[in-house]
Amino acid sequence: AQSVTQPDIHITVSEGASLELRCNYSYGATPYLFWYVQSPGQGLQLLLKYFSGDTLVQGIKGFEAEFKRSQSSFNLRKPSVHWSDAAEYFCAVGAGFQKLVFGTGTRLLVSP
Amino acid sequence: EAEVAQSPRYKITEKSQAVAFWCDPISGHATLYWYRQILGQGPELLVQFQDESVVDDSQLPKDRFSAERLKGVDSTLKIQPAELGDSAMYLCASSFRQGNLADTQYFGPGTRLTVL
């Protein structure tokens, strides 16, 4: 069965510093991979998604993610974090008409 | 910009009571999803509709939960009776096409349920 692991429950980053959130997945075939962001008390917003092709994916709000098949990873990155990026980030995996499976999330805190 | 609407935003109830949540997807979206998100976890799919038909309800606790989408537009999720373990955020999402994950799922703001 497919699964997603986000090993970091919390991460604190200084404003202006770079960010990398880790995501590892388990899936039997080539997966679709997603990153969502959830602000407090809100629903989820899609940041970016990977289906095939170029393994470096650009998303909204200056985020990018890189698919590494050999490592079963899809880490999210941002070169310079803003205070408004503080939120919870979810990695998800699925494919085709199967259901989306989410990780447990990483809460990002941004310090001044 | 079109959004998924949910109501109520917050619901407090006592165990053994009945509760209902409503979702209005983005106009024209054929697929509607209900997710449950327990505090500290990611969302988990409860039920998926394709128009008015249930496509996947394998994770829906059918002894107490029910969901309907009678006209293939808005949807209601009901819990009867509510239990303490049902306290969670209930998220609704919709997508344009026939449930393919290549199609972006748009999420509503959710209903936060607290069962006392």
Side-chain angles (χ1 to χ4, degrees):
Chain A
Q2 63 227 49
S3 66
V4 177
T5 301
Q6 293 182 250
D8 302 306
I9 298 175
H10 297 101
I11 281 186
T12 300
V13 174
S14 298
E15 190 167 16
S18 64
L19 168 71
E20 183 168 21
L21 302 182
R22 295 184 291 166
C23 172
N24 292 96
Y25 68 89
S26 174
Y27 196 76
T30 301
Y32 295 173
L33 294 159
F34 306 80
W35 275 100
Y36 282 85
V37 61
Q38 185 177 33
S39 297
Q42 299 299 312
L44 281 73
Q45 181 184 23
L46 180 67
L47 287 175
L48 48 78
K49 58 188 177 184
Y50 171 79
F51 297 152
S52 63
D54 191 347
T55 57
L56 186 61
V57 180
Q58 301 298 319
I60 62 171
K61 303 185 180 185
F63 286 92
E64 66 178 26
E66 185 170 12
F67 171 58
K68 293 185 177 180
R69 184 187 302 276
S70 62
Q71 298 177 20
S72 297
S73 70
F74 188 57
N75 293 349
L76 182 71
R77 301 193 295 247
K78 187 170 185 178
S80 177
V81 169
H82 187 263
W83 64 267
S84 61
D85 293 323
E88 188 140 24
Y89 292 79
F90 293 93
C91 182
V93 65
F97 291 87
Q98 296 182 4
K99 67 180 180 182
L100 204 53
V101 174
F102 287 84
T104 52
T106 296
R107 180 166 297 280
L108 173 65
L109 305 173
V110 180
S111 60
Chain B
E1 180 177 298
E3 296 179 342
V4 176
Q6 290 188 248
S7 67
R9 292 292 307 277
Y10 303 91
K11 179 69 177 179
I12 300 174
T13 191
E14 294 184 345
K15 63 179 181 179
S16 79
Q17 296 299 303
V19 292
F21 313 132
W22 177 79
C23 172
D24 191 12
I26 293 172
S27 178
H29 280 198
T31 307
L32 185 146
Y33 308 83
W34 282 102
Y35 289 89
R36 177 172 59 186
Q37 184 179 19
I38 296 171
L39 191 64
Q41 298 183 21
E44 177 188 31
L45 181 68
L46 289 175
V47 61
Q48 176 183 341
F49 287 92
Q50 192 62 56
D51 299 310
E52 67 276 7
S53 301
V54 173
V55 173
D56 183 351
D57 63 356
S58 58
Q59 300 303 309
L60 189 71
K62 299 181 187 65
D63 56 334
R64 298 184 300 107
F65 286 64
S66 64
E68 60 183 17
R69 192 184 184 199
L70 293 177
K71 297 182 179 179
V73 181
D74 58 338
S75 176
T76 302
L77 178 69
K78 297 179 181 178
I79 308 175
Q80 183 173 16
E83 295 181 353
L84 296 178
D86 296 332
S87 295
M89 176 79 89
Y90 291 83
L91 294 163
C92 179
S94 69
S95 64
F96 181 64
R97 291 185 294 178
Q98 305 291 311
N100 191 311
L101 289 182
D103 207 17
T104 297
Q105 292 187 27
Y106 295 89
F107 284 79
T111 295
R112 169 72 66 189
L113 173 66
T114 301
V115 182
L116 303 175

